[in-house]
């Protein structure tokens, strides 16, 4: 029998992949993280919530290493981030030693609440933006 965390992961990712993400990707001011697909090599834009602080963009993945974009980052850390309609290139870093719950307190409230309530394996991601 599947564990509750597995059921939550499967239900949440299916809902996001089929309904939420296609809609959010079309919104011009939605923040997007674009990774390169580790198998296809194609650009993979994912709506995310986070915040730019100086030359870094911070976010927290709700499913850690199970998230497709985190797996893509592990294979190729070069990414693009669309912030307020403008694209920025950068290098993503997975930060397993960072406290993701504390990090969420510094990020946008609505997204942080959703990540905390739905997430099962939080992981902080920092994108060092190119100048």
């Amino acid at each position: 029998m599947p564990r509750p965390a597995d059921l939550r992961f499967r239900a949440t990712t299916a809902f996001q992949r089929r309904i939420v993400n296609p809609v959010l990707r079309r919104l011009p001011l939605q923040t997007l993280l674009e990774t390169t697909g580790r198998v296809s090599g194609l650009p993979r834009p994912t709506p995310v919530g986070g915040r730019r602080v100086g030359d870094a963009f911070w976010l927290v993945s709700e499913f850690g290493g199970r998230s497709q974009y985190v797996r893509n980052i592990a294979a190729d850390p070069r990414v693009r981030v669309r912030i307020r309609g403008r694209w920025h290139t950068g290098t993503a870093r997975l930060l397993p030693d960072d406290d993701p719950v504390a990090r969420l307190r510094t990020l946008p409230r609505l997204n942080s609440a959703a990540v905390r309530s739905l997430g099962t394996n939080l992981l902080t991601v920092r994108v060092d933006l190119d100048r």
Side-chain angles (χ1 to χ4, degrees):
M1 175 163 234
R3 296 179 320 174
D6 289 333
L7 291 174
R8 186 174 356 167
F9 169 76
R10 288 170 47 200
T12 302
T13 55
F15 180 69
Q16 288 173 337
R17 192 172 295 141
R18 292 186 179 97
I19 297 169
V20 176
N21 290 358
V23 172
L24 291 180
R25 276 194 292 266
R26 289 179 172 82
L27 299 177
L29 295 181
Q30 171 64 45
T31 302
L32 295 178
L33 174 68
E34 185 181 82
T35 60
T36 301
R38 62 194 175 284
V39 175
S40 69
L42 297 173
R44 299 296 182 195
T46 303
V48 295
R51 175 168 282 143
R52 182 176 182 164
V53 179
D55 289 332
F57 182 81
W58 293 85
L59 67 127
V60 174
S61 168
E62 59 198 338
F63 297 113
R66 293 182 77 180
S67 295
Q68 295 300 316
Y69 71 87
V70 170
R71 295 172 70 190
N72 288 342
I73 288 169
D76 181 1
R78 298 294 304 159
V79 301
R80 292 193 324 152
V81 182
R82 186 177 78 184
I83 306 168
R84 295 189 191 110
R86 184 166 174 244
W87 286 101
H88 305 270
T89 59
T91 304
R93 311 249 187 257
L94 306 176
L95 303 173
D97 294 331
D98 190 66
D99 180 352
V101 174
R103 181 68 56 193
L104 283 170
R105 289 188 205 110
T106 69
L107 301 178
R109 285 185 183 161
L110 184 60
N111 182 75
S112 294
V115 169
R116 264 193 309 273
S117 64
L118 297 173
T120 58
N121 187 24
L122 305 181
L123 174 66
T124 302
V125 179
R126 183 186 76 224
V127 178
D128 296 320
L129 302 172
D130 298 338
R131 292 184 177 237

